[in-house]
Amino acid sequence: MNRLLGVRGLGGLIRSLGHGPISAAAIGCIGLACCLPLAAAQAAGLPTFQQVRASHLPSDFTLLDRDGQPLQTLRRDPRVRRLPWVTLDEVSPALRTAIVLSEDQRFWQHSGIDWQGVAASAWSNLWNERTRGASTLTMQLAGLLDERGARPAGGRSWSQKATQAWAARQLEARWRKTEILEAYLNHVPFRGELVGLPALSQTLFGKHPSGLDAQESAIAAALVRGPNARADAVARRACQVLTLQQRPCAGIDLVVTQALARKGGPALGEQRAPHLARLLMAQAPADAPSVRSTLDGHLQRLAQETLQRHLLELAHRQVDDGAVIVIDNARGEVLAWVGGSGTLSQAAQVDAVLALRQPGSTLKPFVYGLAFERRLLTPASLLQDEPVQLPTGAGLYIPQNYDRRFRGWVSVRTALGNSLNVPAVRAGAMLGADALAEGLRGFGLALKEPGGFYGPGLALGSAEVTLRDLSNAYRALANGGRWSPLRWQVGDAQGGAGGGHRSAMSPAAAHLVTDILADNAARALSFGLHSALATRGFAAVKTGTSKDMRDNWCIGYTDRYTVGVWVGNASGSPMHDVSGVAGAAPVWASLVQALHRERPSRAPGLPPGVHQQRIHFEASAGASMVDADRLERFIAGTEQATWRLDAAAMSGTAARPGRAIVSPQEGAIFALDPDIPPRAQRVTLRSQAIRPGQSGQPVQPELEWWLDGRRLALGAQHDWLPMPGRHVLSLRQRGRVLDELRFEVRGASLTPCQARTPCAASAGPSPAPSRGP
């Protein structure tokens, strides 16, 4: 026996130090004393509990709202799953009991080394019985805290075990028992990639550690001993833990099977802002577990739910995606950022707040505002809403209104309020494409190309912008033309969208635009008096729809907030008959109503340099019914009491001497856009018998339109569906040719040409006309 102890006893003693005490205390002391200097040196650098907790780095990144509450969690480290630290008070009593019974039954009594357990383990090792570990929770924690103490594949050496034991004694001397157990539960590895109780609890049981019951706690304790054991082995060990508590094991096999079959998912809790969370995670330091955003948690939930509810109502109109941004006007803080429709979308990863899209008519306020500032126009100025042909590099650009109707001479207030396209193009032409592009850049709209690239279509939104930048441009209007960057992270003094504060437009010009956008009567022709744009308090708002109904916008501001909404499809596929009023406006209106439920929005007062004057439109001006006498606002020095047109303007399209065909013109080139429905690209054939604003009925009988030698239509005017190719058009009366001309229609893909006319070369699409409201 003595010889056996001499040869094998010390080895068994030392082996047991990694998992428990020893029967021969004297021999244990000798073995431990051999490595005390080394162990003391290695354990001297033990961290404090506060240091350990502060250095805990979750594998997930958490986005917090402005009040510090979690809004979104994203996976950052794909190698390990480690969730935020939980305190001992946040762990169920059942789990605390199961871990102690399974791993260290005398945890609350010993001081780091359980000598009774060491003795039992050494005795078992001595007689080659089944190995019984004697490593306490404190010793295990010491190994977890020191990477050098991590258990190697071949087991720990006697020096490593001695170091672990010594470190455990030091931990017990410096830490409280509750701190040791808390740190252990947050560091212990479980199954596969799962590290710490929070990750195990959520992944295997789909709940917070505070909700674990007795059976789930027993399974967790069993996995500490055998992290990757088979289900039957885990069930047996869990049953042993339950038996120690005098609890039944009925159904434990099924619970184990279900738990081990579960797949990991996002962290528990709200998942409300994935797109902003990804943006901030990319910008945050690698060791930052969370970032506090400027988002208002309540408003973020409301915006997300409102958008999803409305998109469900539009599902039958081929609408899948949408986005919302809400901004505090004064501080520039983003209060809500909804980058998509979530599960309703097939492109949930796309952040539609940052996606480039054609803004349609939402650029018109800036066109008119810049014209006001340069004193080219006033809200009372009259512009002609009639077909116009503007030459571009790809052919003639012929803007159309959303409803295919033209209203003759209208004031700028009526033109902007009703989102008429032709007057906006005329206003843009007054500015010039390059000057307009430069003005838009001043509002933070980062156009990729110079103004000449977009041509006349820039006034109708042919350039691409993001919802974020466009909404901030509207916020600049709300702030009297003063632009500043947005902020979406608490403590970010510089803002998140680059640039500093600057004046993008004079306060007087911005006020005129605001006054028109808030005038419900001014938009009555197109929207009526009871549309979603009519709010209880002050709100300036504009809708827009891009070509082929691919993008639908509603952006507006109150005295405190700017709200931007986009509705469409991330794939770029068109919606089915969805305008700004039906698509984005209801979401905008719901949010504005909620934002001002307690206090209605108040209209701004007149800024310096803006005067009011009563105006009169003379009947000869041919203004629409809306343009009656009224009190109008002007930039000082541009006031005018009476508005009329001279005879030349009233004559409409100037007659060409000796020609009976007014439109199209000789040699005209029309460029078809493949993205716009053909019915929206009809070419108007007009004779001298028709004047702008008239009904279109023939003044002279028996007028005939002939195209390429075939009779096309009767009457003085006809809307023709163009076909690619070179064409010969003639106007005849009683067999006599009154006029004849040649023109060309170009398209991206040509149809077979008629045998008697040569084919035209393919050309690119023309600037895309806005779809209006």
Side-chain angles (χ1 to χ4, degrees), residues 16 86 88 103 107 152 163 258 310 365 511 548 674 753 766:
S16 67
V86 293
L88 203 57
E103 292 298 304
F107 170 73
T163 300
Q258 292 176 337
H310 186 62
H511 177 82
D548 208 13
C753 300
S766 64

Side-chain angles (χ1 to χ4, degrees), residues 61 100 188 204 295 335 380 432 440 460 503 519 523 586 603 661 706 749 752 754:
F61 173 85
V100 171
V188 62
L204 266 59
L295 298 185
L335 304 179
L440 294 175
L460 303 184
S503 176
D519 187 351
R523 54 175 168 257
I661 299 177
W706 285 66
S749 59
Q754 297 178 359

Side-chain angles (χ1 to χ4, degrees), residues 487-722:
R487 296 175 54 243
W488 45 80
Q489 180 177 344
V490 171
D492 181 10
Q494 299 300 319
H501 295 64
R502 61 175 177 264
S503 176
M505 183 179 290
S506 69
H511 177 82
L512 296 184
V513 173
T514 296
D515 185 59
I516 296 173
L517 296 182
D519 187 351
N520 196 43
R523 54 175 168 257
L525 276 178
S526 295
F527 300 93
L529 294 174
H530 304 288
S531 71
L533 306 181
T535 57
R536 185 165 62 102
F538 160 79
V541 58
K542 185 72 186 74
T543 61
T545 304
S546 68
K547 61 179 182 178
D548 208 13
M549 293 192 176
R550 296 176 186 275
D551 305 285
N552 191 258
W553 309 74
C554 184
I555 305 178
Y557 47 92
T558 65
D559 61 346
R560 296 180 61 188
Y561 307 102
T562 295
V563 179
V565 181
W566 170 83
V567 166
N569 294 304
S571 64
S573 59
M575 301 172 284
H576 178 65
D577 195 24
V578 179
S579 66
V581 179
V587 178
W588 178 89
S590 296
L591 293 176
V592 168
Q593 181 181 7
L595 286 167
H596 290 279
R597 182 170 287 113
E598 301 297 330
R599 185 186 72 82
S601 174
R602 298 181 178 89
L606 288 178
V610 174
H611 295 169
Q612 292 190 113
Q613 179 170 336
R614 182 160 294 280
I615 61 173
H616 169 67
F617 292 96
E618 290 193 354
S620 61
S624 65
M625 294 294 293
V626 173
D627 289 314
D629 297 354
R630 63 173 182 259
L631 189 65
E632 188 56 272
R633 301 185 179 189
F634 298 88
I635 293 178
T638 64
E639 305 95 323
Q640 182 175 320
T642 302
W643 295 81
R644 67 174 66 89
L645 295 174
D646 57 26
M650 282 298 297
S651 66
T653 304
R656 294 178 297 159
R659 303 303 298 262
I661 299 177
V662 174
S663 176
Q665 299 178 10
E666 176 70 44
I669 301 176
F670 298 90
L672 300 180
D673 190 330
D675 291 328
I676 300 178
R679 63 179 181 277
Q681 301 189 76
R682 292 179 181 273
V683 173
T684 299
L685 312 179
R686 181 184 295 119
S687 73
Q688 289 283 14
I690 295 296
R691 289 290 183 265
Q694 293 179 313
S695 64
Q697 297 300 317
V699 177
Q700 303 178 29
E702 301 177 356
L703 288 176
E704 300 176 350
W705 293 98
W706 285 66
L707 185 71
D708 301 329
R710 299 179 181 179
R711 191 168 71 172
L712 179 66
L714 297 175
Q717 179 173 311
H718 175 67
D719 289 335
W720 172 61
L721 183 64

Side-chain angles (χ1 to χ4, degrees), residues 203-240:
T203 304
L204 266 59
F205 306 112
K207 58 176 64 174
H208 192 272
S210 61
L212 294 177
D213 59 25
Q215 286 194 333
E216 293 163 342
S217 298
I219 295 172
L223 288 172
V224 173
R225 287 288 183 93
N228 297 310
R230 293 162 51 97
D232 55 348
V234 174
R236 284 195 301 271
R237 177 58 186 163
C239 186
Q240 294 172 4

